[in-house]
Amino acid sequence: MRAFYKGGFQPEMNRREAALILGVRESAPEEKVKEAHRRIMIANHPDAGGSSFIAAKVNEAKDMLLGKKTGGSSIF
């Protein structure tokens, strides 16, 4: 059975935490990151009853690993 990230978010996301959230390696290729993001968002999207906080963290993790975010605090 796969182990998933148990939470306890850092005040400022880093690549390690982003990889843990998405369940991929820090060096995962773009396609793997997008696939993991999609899989997690299907289960946690706010429009489907999921948490907007979790969705925001998942999006932040994807952006971090794809190089669209270099660091900084979440709005949450």
Side-chain angles (χ1 to χ4, degrees), residues 39-69:
R39 177 178 36 82
I40 294 169
M41 285 304 289
I42 287 171
N44 292 289
H45 198 279
D47 291 346
S51 164
S52 58
F53 176 76
I54 298 297
K57 295 305 273 184
V58 171
N59 286 331
E60 185 180 4
K62 179 192 79 167
D63 290 345
M64 172 69 71
L65 291 178
L66 295 181
K68 296 179 181 174
K69 182 176 186 316

Side-chain angles (χ1 to χ4, degrees), residues 5-12 16-17 20-21 53-54 57:
Y5 184 59
K6 293 183 181 15
F9 300 110
Q10 301 296 316
E12 190 172 312
R16 180 181 176 279
E17 182 180 36
L20 286 170
I21 290 169
F53 176 76
I54 298 297
K57 295 305 273 184

